[in-house]
Amino acid sequence: MDKNLFSSFYLYKEHKQLICSNARVAFIQYKDFRINLLTGDKSFEGVDEFVNLLARFSVDAYENEPVVIHLMYDFGFHSVDELELVDSNKPLAIFIQYQEAKKLRGKTTVTDENDQFSLTPLDLPNFNDYHKKFEKTYRNLLDGECYQLNLTLPFYLRSSVKLGPQEYIDRLWGQPEKVG
């Protein structure tokens, strides 16, 4: 498994990156089991054990070790006692507890600034498909089927320069005025 796990957040007001690294605990939670992202081991700890773990943390408390939690949409079925509606092989959450966090200004990696970074489209949604999906979701919105939605389609791009994950982030967040 990947030992170079990290999370990076852009702190807009400070124009800095918060980089959390050196994961101590990392797993992806499913309904009836979890997979350790550091070792690849599977353990049969269900979503109730995960909720008990979350109860130990408070949003307004300071933690010595930063914790990053990603809750998937289907995790909401737990809170309305409808967990049986969730496919057992669908991830519900990702939990990572890091040992380090640093705030950094500017780029965090050293790359050749002369590299002409660009992204070439490999596969893009066509307008007709997008328009059909837009019309359908718009009708559902007007009919009261939902109150909020994000209509997204996959884009596949190729970089002109080989970059690691943090280097991509540096390129994307390198100009604070363009973040977002």
Side-chain angles (χ1 to χ4, degrees):
M1 299 304 297
D2 187 3
K3 300 282 188 204
N4 297 319
L5 188 64
F6 72 94
S7 295
S8 181
F9 303 93
Y10 187 74
L11 305 174
Y12 186 76
K13 289 182 180 180
E14 299 178 44
H15 297 298
K16 292 181 179 179
Q17 287 184 52
L18 175 65
I19 299 177
C20 302
S21 60
N22 199 7
R24 187 171 66 78
V25 177
F27 62 85
I28 186 164
Q29 182 68 53
Y30 295 84
K31 186 165 52 173
D32 301 314
F33 64 93
R34 66 178 60 156
I35 296 176
N36 184 317
L37 295 173
L38 301 175
T39 66
D41 294 337
K42 182 177 183 178
S43 62
F44 292 93
E45 296 171 86
V47 72
D48 289 333
E49 287 91 352
F50 176 68
V51 170
N52 290 338
L53 172 66
L54 293 182
R56 291 187 13 219
F57 298 98
S58 173
V59 173
D60 61 352
Y62 176 79
E63 296 291 333
N64 289 330
E65 296 181 332
V67 174
V68 177
I69 303 166
H70 301 276
L71 299 177
M72 311 309 180
Y73 176 82
D74 288 339
F75 182 76
F77 285 109
H78 180 273
S79 60
V80 293
D81 293 326
E82 298 286 344
L83 201 55
E84 68 276 357
L85 298 175
V86 177
D87 181 334
S88 61
N89 291 315
K90 204 166 194 185
L92 297 176
I94 297 173
F95 179 93
I96 309 169
Q97 186 167 16
Y98 291 102
Q99 296 180 55
E100 297 178 35
K102 296 177 186 171
K103 287 183 184 180
L104 302 171
R105 182 179 298 278
K107 293 186 176 189
T108 61
T109 58
V110 178
T111 57
D112 186 352
E113 293 299 322
N114 294 323
D115 288 341
Q116 294 299 315
F117 176 71
S118 63
L119 297 172
T120 304
L122 297 177
D123 187 22
L124 303 174
N126 70 52
F127 180 76
N128 289 334
D129 289 344
Y130 179 82
H131 186 69
K132 286 178 193 174
K133 291 175 192 256
F134 176 84
E135 289 298 321
K136 180 180 178 182
T137 55
Y138 186 68
R139 281 191 306 277
N140 286 336
L141 187 61
L142 291 177
D143 291 343
E145 297 293 328
C146 66
Y147 64 93
Q148 178 181 349
L149 63 93
N150 290 319
L151 176 59
T152 60
L153 299 170
F155 285 72
Y156 297 97
L157 308 167
R158 175 174 285 135
S159 172
S160 60
V161 179
K162 186 174 180 172
L163 301 172
Q166 187 59 50
E167 292 169 317
Y168 274 110
I169 292 169
D170 284 347
R171 298 282 177 121
L172 294 172
W173 292 350
Q175 297 175 306
E177 66 278 3
K178 292 185 178 181
V179 171

